[in-house]
Amino acid sequence: MSSKRVWVVSEIYYPVKTSTGYYMTEIAEYLAARAMDVHVLCTGSVYNNGEKRSRLNEESRNGVKVHRVYVPNIDKNNFVKRTLRLSLSSLLLFGKILKLVRNGDEVLVVTNPAFLILMMPLVAWIKGVSYKILVHDIFPENLVAIKRLSSSSFIYRSLKRVFDAAYSKAVLCISIGRDMSEVLKKK
């Protein structure tokens, strides 16, 4: 029987040095240094101009096996294009999760890309895994904060319902702040 693996799933990972890329790399390498079988699923996307992009679909780095899917470089500064980028990233990572993750593995997923969170209950059901969420952004509440949606709109209420259900199916939601913890408790 194969040993349990730990999967870290994130839109951004090394060599990208944004906060998400940095923290997810540190977490994965910390776990690998403790003799865990750690795999990362990520995109090959960069976040800022001039960042180094890995051209490898698979590689090992500091004891971590990294598996990448490639998403076209779509402008993250345009809201519609950013939504397309997040949708495509989520779908490609979802497909890779279904292909690689096996029953009993541990999964830690970050909230980027956002729509992947909606797919995680299905992953858990199909693959027989539980998942934990490291919450950097709370969806769809962040869309209200940036004034893209009104908290009274039908779209917001609908999104909130499905995101709340996905968050509630996680074994654990890890927040990065006190205020965020309060919002997650309500979910």
Side-chain angles (χ1 to χ4, degrees):
M1 183 172 205
S2 301
S3 66
K4 181 182 350 184
R5 300 175 297 176
V6 176
W7 291 89
V8 175
V9 185
S10 175
E11 179 184 17
I12 305 296
Y13 190 77
Y14 179 88
V16 177
K17 302 242 194 252
T18 62
S19 59
T20 299
Y22 173 79
Y23 287 119
M24 299 316 287
T25 302
E26 290 292 313
I27 289 168
E29 291 179 1
Y30 174 87
L31 296 173
R34 273 127 192 95
M36 294 183 184
D37 185 8
V38 181
H39 294 255
V40 168
L41 290 175
C42 61
T43 70
S45 298
V46 295
Y47 227 64
N48 297 306
N49 291 335
E51 284 181 327
K52 184 179 175 188
R53 177 182 179 137
S54 176
R55 299 282 178 208
L56 301 172
N57 290 334
E58 292 190 11
E59 69 177 299
S60 288
R61 180 179 187 280
N62 295 332
V64 176
K65 294 160 202 86
V66 182
H67 311 264
R68 287 187 181 85
V69 296
Y70 284 90
V71 179
N73 191 19
I74 300 170
D75 182 9
K76 69 174 179 62
N77 297 316
N78 175 294
F79 184 75
V80 172
K81 290 179 181 178
R82 183 184 189 109
T83 302
L84 175 63
R85 175 182 170 146
L86 292 175
S87 299
L88 189 54
S89 296
S90 296
L91 286 171
L92 290 171
L93 287 169
F94 173 70
K96 197 76 158 179
I97 290 170
L98 292 179
K99 181 178 178 183
L100 297 176
V101 172
R102 55 184 186 233
N103 184 286
D105 286 352
E106 297 276 338
V107 180
L108 171 65
V109 62
V110 71
T111 51
N112 296 325
F115 303 124
L116 183 60
I117 299 302
L118 299 177
M119 299 169 194
M120 290 310 298
L122 184 58
V123 167
W125 181 70
I126 291 171
K127 301 304 279 189
V129 299
S130 59
Y131 62 97
K132 298 165 184 77
I133 304 173
L134 176 55
V135 183
H136 285 184
D137 296 309
I138 299 180
F139 295 96
E141 287 83 350
N142 62 343
L143 296 175
V144 172
I146 64 169
K147 299 185 182 348
R148 288 291 179 175
L149 287 178
S150 163
S151 61
S152 62
S153 73
F154 173 77
I155 293 171
Y156 171 78
R157 290 191 320 270
S158 299
L159 284 172
K160 183 165 176 12
R161 203 167 329 176
V162 294
F163 271 98
D164 285 359
Y167 282 108
S168 72
K169 299 289 184 198
V171 172
L172 177 68
C173 290
I174 305 161
S175 72
I176 58 173
R178 185 178 46 243
D179 293 341
M180 185 181 286
S181 292
E182 292 305 313
V183 173
L184 287 171
K185 282 178 190 174
K186 293 175 186 172
K187 289 185 169 294

